[in-house]
Amino acid sequence: MTTGPEQPGHLTEAERPANNEPGLVCVSLTVNGSPVEVSAAPTRLLLEVLREDLGLQGTKSGCETTTCGACTVLVDGRSMKSCTVLAIQVRSSSITTIEGLADGDRLHPVQESFRRHHGSQCGFCTPGMVMACVSALAEDRIRDERSARRALKGNLCRCTGYQNIVSAVLDVATKESG
């Protein structure tokens, strides 16, 4: 019987218990452009690894059911809710969190647009909203108000009526397309 990535549930030799600690596997990721290796239980969520092991607190735990979107990150450029994906499921992937969007002191265009349009109030949902928008814009899924609202559908904000968020996203979309 062979083992490896081609058979789900089986670990390769590199993924077997790290540091001789029973039950832990080595998960290699690229996070915000930097390669990292984490020893984690196979049941460890990506959200937990990002927040607890790597100290990236921008990604939030809101509902733990993928309903609110506060945990949204980019995995290989596509938005994914990190509260229900295991870290081992995204091994060898490139993960971008809200902390990885800005270029030094220069905000990502979506972050800047949220700032200009007052697209956040308490800020709890903002990282997930921004990450979902970055992914939707990269996939050219935002062309008008309806498509912007559709792209944000999986992200909840309990503070706003979404209008400033939608305005921020549309502002970036029109600048990128024009």
Side-chain angles (χ1 to χ4, degrees):
M1 180 166 127
T2 62
T3 62
E6 65 280 352
Q7 290 187 340
H10 294 280
L11 303 177
T12 66
E13 194 60 39
E15 297 164 338
R16 295 204 188 282
N19 303 326
N20 295 323
E21 296 179 50
L24 297 184
V25 295
C26 180
V27 179
S28 297
L29 304 164
T30 300
V31 179
N32 297 331
S34 299
V36 297
E37 287 190 355
V38 178
S39 294
T43 57
R44 193 87 193 261
L45 296 172
L46 176 59
L47 174 67
E48 296 169 331
V49 167
L50 294 172
R51 289 183 58 81
E52 298 168 16
D53 297 347
L54 301 178
L56 298 169
Q57 300 292 307
T59 304
K60 307 291 189 226
S61 175
C63 68
E64 299 176 359
T65 64
T66 71
T67 302
C68 75
C71 67
T72 303
V73 297
L74 302 182
V75 177
D76 295 328
R78 299 201 55 156
S79 65
M80 182 176 287
K81 295 178 181 177
S82 64
C83 73
T84 58
V85 65
L86 302 174
I88 196 166
Q89 290 177 294
V90 294
R91 64 188 178 272
S92 302
S93 295
S94 177
I95 313 296
T96 305
T97 67
I98 193 73
E99 292 91 345
L101 283 185
D103 183 11
D105 290 337
R106 186 171 169 228
L107 295 176
H108 183 278
V110 174
Q111 291 172 306
E112 177 59 31
S113 190
F114 267 63
R115 187 194 65 74
R116 263 193 337 274
H117 289 274
H118 307 287
S120 66
Q121 287 189 10
C122 82
F124 191 84
C125 71
T126 305
M129 291 272 189
V130 167
M131 300 309 286
C133 291
V134 168
S135 176
L137 287 163
E139 295 166 11
D140 198 28
R141 291 189 287 128
I142 299 177
R143 293 191 170 85
D144 55 22
E145 183 173 344
R146 184 175 180 187
S147 61
R149 289 183 183 278
R150 191 175 316 120
L152 293 169
K153 186 176 180 181
N155 294 74
L156 300 177
C157 177
R158 292 170 175 94
C159 298
T160 74
Y162 295 91
Q163 191 53 51
N164 291 354
I165 295 168
V166 171
S167 295
V169 176
L170 288 173
D171 187 38
V172 176
T174 57
K175 287 178 181 171
E176 286 184 1
S177 67

